[in-house]
Amino acid sequence: MPARSMEELVALCKRRGFVFQASELYGGLQGVYDYGPLGVELKNNLKAAWWRAMVYERDDVEGLDSAILTNRKVLQYSGHEATFTDPMVDCRQCRARWRADHLEGGRCPKCGSDDLTEPRPFNLMFRTQVGPVEDASSTAYLRPETAQSIFTNFKHVVDATSRRLPFGIAQVGKAFRNEITPRNFIFRVREFEQMELEFFVEPGTDEEWHETWVQERLDWWRRQGIDPNRLELYRVPPEELAHYSKATFDVMYRFPHGVEELEGIANRTDFDLGSHTKDQDSLGIDASVEENPDSNARLAIRDLQSGTWRVPYVIEPSAGVDRGVLAVLNEAYRVETLDNGSTRTVLGLKPHLAPVKVAVLPLKRNHEGIVARARAIRKELQALGFGRVLYEDTGNIGKGYRRHDEVGTPLCLTVDFQTIEEDDTVTVRDRDTMAQTRLAVAELPAYVGEYFSAGAGS
């Protein structure tokens, strides 16, 4: 069973080095978290799985890594300056500030008072200044999403790759939102990472592609170990759609704190490319798109047969990395009761997501021969390149097994006296079954390589 509460996951993350409160030494910074030694591995593995599925395993997607600092005009014409807001209220009794649509029963969660101000819009973007002089001309923003830089780089990518429709541009990177009330650990934070694809299609084919990408993304999350029974698909009602969206489906997951969005798949039509392009009238762009006198590029595709220019529609699967980490941790977490009545905590992570792929444990940490052989085995397996191989010399094999069960290590190898004195074999212990077998060291590269290839899971 997944975690019974968020507190269980928070405790595990801190105890085992997955996630820490940022600046905790000085009291912390609300809504900002640091990823520890195991957390950074898990996070990188999730991003790598997404990148493999989106870019390497397809022949119609290119990658991008763009700047975080964003020209103000980009977010002006995208509509973010005017519409990227949440409704905010103040409690007149305790002075606490809340997001209005998150309140239950119209009462302050801190003191219970219903004496609240009227909701007012609060822009979520982090504003900053570029250069030594602070004035209107030096205003910039930390990007609130990775999508806009994909749109503004559309022409560069097309010119560099000669892509024709349909094709996509993928990006993984940081985004920043000044949330009114960050909450639920790493679910809603002020600094986070996104995995976003903008998939450009012919107008008229957008609805079919939208359905295709919804199914693709559901299947991908299942391959990351998410139980389909804990996933729901929610079609956002028309009155709740973002300003750019024709239709949006949210992939919902049953987190410890409730069912909330894990990923959104939106049909953004031609809104974004249209907003950032020149010569809008000649391209037949929807009249709802603001006229843009500042753009210097035509963000469109030319039909090779007719010679006419068309602004593509775009389908956008957008997932939060941090929410993904929280979901796979919750899904993998379980506490088992063993035959002897004791319990063990296990993270049943898919092998490709596990922070440590193989742990090599010497039976005696102060035995020169055993230690030397264990280190040599670790070095040989690490060179295979399937992920992190850890040498750990705690000296207590039983405790070592339990610790690696708790952090999700699929395989533990124990080097003992039999290894160095008899037959050069090691004990291979499986995390999920706890089964132990002896295997020749010479066979380990093939065995381990096949194990992780079979569980690639991207």
Side-chain angles (χ1 to χ4, degrees):
M1 289 290 292
R4 291 169 295 180
S5 67
M6 187 69 80
E7 287 71 24
E8 282 185 322
L9 289 182
V10 173
L12 172 68
C13 286
K14 185 173 183 179
R15 180 173 69 252
R16 292 305 185 194
F18 283 94
V19 183
F20 307 129
Q21 176 69 55
S23 306
E24 188 173 20
L25 185 65
Y26 294 98
L29 187 59
Q30 188 184 21
V32 185
Y33 290 89
D34 298 328
Y35 282 78
L38 294 180
V40 69
E41 296 290 342
L42 174 58
K43 191 176 188 182
N44 286 342
N45 290 341
L46 185 65
K47 292 189 290 185
W50 186 89
W51 196 261
R52 282 196 305 271
M54 287 296 189
V55 182
Y56 296 164
E57 296 175 5
R58 301 183 65 94
D59 58 7
D60 55 1
V61 175
E62 302 287 352
L64 184 71
D65 182 15
S66 62
I68 287 171
L69 286 172
T70 305
N71 187 306
R72 181 180 185 180
K73 289 182 179 179
V74 171
L75 297 167
Q76 175 187 340
Y77 286 104
S78 69
H80 284 79
E81 268 202 337
T83 65
F84 202 67
T85 61
D86 279 337
M88 182 174 67
V89 298
D90 293 326
C91 175
R92 294 190 177 94
Q93 294 297 317
C94 68
R95 307 296 183 186
R97 203 162 260 172
W98 305 100
R99 182 168 156 176
D101 56 341
H102 285 171
L103 298 181
E104 294 185 7
R107 292 186 174 275
C108 173
K110 184 177 180 180
C111 70
S113 171
D114 61 359
D115 188 10
L116 307 175
T117 63
E118 288 297 315
R120 61 194 185 280
F122 172 76
N123 195 290
L124 301 177
M125 293 193 295
F126 280 98
R127 187 192 300 252
T128 188
Q129 301 292 322
V130 177
V133 179
E134 293 191 14
D135 57 25
S137 65
S138 67
T139 296
Y141 291 101
L142 303 185
R143 65 185 182 195
E145 63 180 25
T146 59
Q148 292 307 313
S149 54
I150 295 178
F151 299 129
T152 56
N153 277 288
F154 175 81
K155 185 177 186 300
H156 294 314
V157 174
V158 171
D159 290 348
T161 64
S162 300
R163 283 286 184 181
R164 312 308 302 174
L165 298 177
F167 78 96
I169 302 175
Q171 180 166 208
V172 178
K174 290 272 191 177
F176 304 82
R177 297 180 185 178
N178 194 12
E179 294 283 352
I180 299 169
T181 50
R183 58 193 175 91
N184 296 318
F185 194 31
I186 57 174
F187 175 81
R188 188 177 299 281
V189 290
R190 291 186 167 113
E191 177 181 338
F192 56 97
E193 281 193 88
Q194 290 181 299
M195 304 180 291
E196 287 196 316
L197 173 71
E198 306 303 329
F199 196 77
F200 303 97
V201 302
E202 293 276 3
T205 67
D206 50 301
E207 293 183 4
E208 180 181 352
W209 273 110
H210 196 187
E211 293 177 2
T212 297
W213 275 110
V214 168
Q215 191 58 53
E216 288 275 347
R217 299 307 302 144
L218 285 170
D219 292 343
W220 186 83
W221 282 113
R222 290 163 185 157
R223 295 199 299 274
Q224 309 319 303
I226 303 298
D227 184 347
N229 294 320
R230 297 177 66 81
L231 292 173
E232 298 178 12
L233 195 61
Y234 173 71
R235 180 161 192 149
V236 179
E239 65 273 13
E240 296 179 15
L241 290 172
H243 63 280
Y244 52 74
S245 177
K246 173 182 176 180
T248 296
F249 288 96
D250 287 341
V251 177
M252 311 293 283
Y253 173 72
R254 194 175 301 125
F255 290 95
H257 63 275
V259 177
E260 294 211 55
E261 180 188 346
L262 177 61
E263 175 169 358
I265 304 102
N267 181 344
R268 298 181 73 125
T269 69
D270 60 357
F271 178 88
D272 299 280
L273 291 182
S275 297
H276 295 303
T277 198
K278 68 175 183 178
D279 299 333
Q280 294 173 334
D281 290 340
S282 65
L283 295 171
I285 295 173
D286 191 291
S288 66
V289 175
E290 180 182 353
E291 184 62 32
N292 190 334
D294 296 314
S295 174
N296 58 17
R298 174 182 282 180
L299 305 185
I301 291 282
R302 189 171 188 177
D303 185 275
L304 297 180
Q305 294 182 338
S306 66
T308 59
W309 290 86
R310 304 184 310 284
V311 178
Y313 274 32
V314 62
I315 307 302
E316 178 196 68
S318 176
V321 178
D322 307 84
R323 293 184 181 189
V325 168
L326 185 60
V328 298
L329 279 173
N330 181 61
E331 200 66 32
Y333 184 95
R334 64 180 187 266
V335 178
E336 297 178 347
T337 301
L338 305 181
D339 292 340
N340 62 7
S342 64
T343 62
R344 69 165 186 153
T345 300
V346 186
L347 277 185
L349 294 165
K350 290 288 186 178
H352 70 282
L353 294 179
V356 177
K357 300 295 188 286
V358 179
V360 182
L361 292 73
L363 183 66
K364 292 184 71 66
R365 61 182 176 182
N366 56 358
H367 189 283
E368 184 176 340
I370 290 177
V371 168
R373 192 71 185 106
R375 289 192 179 277
I377 291 171
R378 188 213 72 83
K379 185 176 181 180
E380 182 179 3
L381 294 180
Q382 187 65 74
L384 297 177
F386 52 78
R388 189 180 184 191
V389 180
L390 182 69
Y391 169 85
E392 183 169 327
D393 58 357
T394 58
N396 186 311
I397 297 300
K399 289 183 178 179
Y401 286 162
R402 288 293 181 267
R403 182 166 48 257
H404 282 284
D405 289 343
E406 193 172 34
V407 301
T409 305
L411 298 176
C412 286
L413 311 181
T414 301
V415 180
D416 53 21
F417 289 102
Q418 183 178 337
T419 310
I420 63 171
E421 294 177 356
E422 299 181 26
D423 54 13
D424 200 33
T425 63
V426 297
T427 297
V428 180
R429 191 240 189 206
D430 182 271
R431 175 197 67 200
D432 296 323
T433 66
M434 295 187 289
Q436 299 184 30
T437 57
R438 296 296 293 194
L439 194 67
V441 171
E443 298 174 4
L444 284 177
Y447 176 85
V448 172
E450 182 179 349
Y451 180 93
F452 287 104
S453 294
S458 63

